[in-house]
Amino acid sequence: MGDRESSEIGERQSSAAGERESSEMGERERERERERERERERERERERERERERERERERERERERERERERERERERESSEMGERQSSAAGERERERSAARDRESSAMG
């Protein structure tokens, strides 16, 4: 009888130790899985940050393009203004020539 009790106690202890070991292994596995999930989350966050940086770069490029367009517009206005001045100057010159011609005609007639 003592041997049987001793044997049963040994089995229970062995079984308890096995469950504890199994439980500890399960806990370590769950901890590794949690760590892998944290790493995946960190990677997703790094990817989101890279995407935000790409968007900031696209916005900077759009701003540079808008600035280039404003510069082209200013250049067109300068050219148009210079052309207008030249036309105005040429028109003024032609008017002065006509006026001088009229004066000459008047003096010739007078």
Side-chain angles (χ1 to χ4, degrees):
M1 182 130 182
D3 285 344
R4 199 174 69 235
E5 285 177 7
S6 173
S7 175
E8 287 174 0
I9 289 172
E11 286 175 12
R12 281 195 300 273
Q13 288 174 337
S14 175
S15 176
E19 288 173 12
R20 217 172 20 257
E21 191 173 294
S22 175
S23 173
E24 288 169 4
M25 282 176 62
E27 184 54 39
R28 285 192 298 271
E29 183 52 40
R30 284 190 296 277
E31 182 53 40
R32 284 192 293 273
E33 184 52 42
R34 285 190 292 270
E35 184 53 40
R36 285 190 292 267
E37 183 51 42
R38 285 189 291 269
E39 183 53 39
R40 285 189 292 267
E41 183 53 40
R42 286 189 291 268
E43 183 52 40
R44 285 189 292 268
E45 183 52 40
R46 286 189 292 268
E47 183 51 41
R48 285 189 292 268
E49 183 51 40
R50 286 189 292 268
E51 183 51 42
R52 286 189 290 268
E53 183 52 40
R54 286 188 292 268
E55 183 52 40
R56 286 189 291 268
E57 183 52 39
R58 286 189 293 268
E59 183 52 40
R60 286 189 292 267
E61 184 52 41
R62 285 189 293 268
E63 183 52 40
R64 286 189 292 268
E65 183 52 41
R66 285 190 292 268
E67 184 52 41
R68 287 190 292 268
E69 184 53 40
R70 285 190 292 269
E71 185 53 40
R72 285 190 293 268
E73 184 57 34
R74 285 190 292 269
E75 187 57 32
R76 281 191 296 271
E77 287 172 6
R78 271 193 301 274
E79 288 173 359
S80 174
S81 172
E82 288 170 2
M83 188 175 289
E85 288 171 12
R86 284 193 299 271
Q87 288 172 339
S88 175
S89 176
E93 186 60 34
R94 284 191 305 273
E95 183 53 41
R96 281 189 295 279
E97 289 172 5
R98 281 193 296 272
S99 177
R102 279 193 305 272
D103 288 350
R104 283 191 301 274
E105 288 172 10
S106 293
S107 336
M109 286 183 194

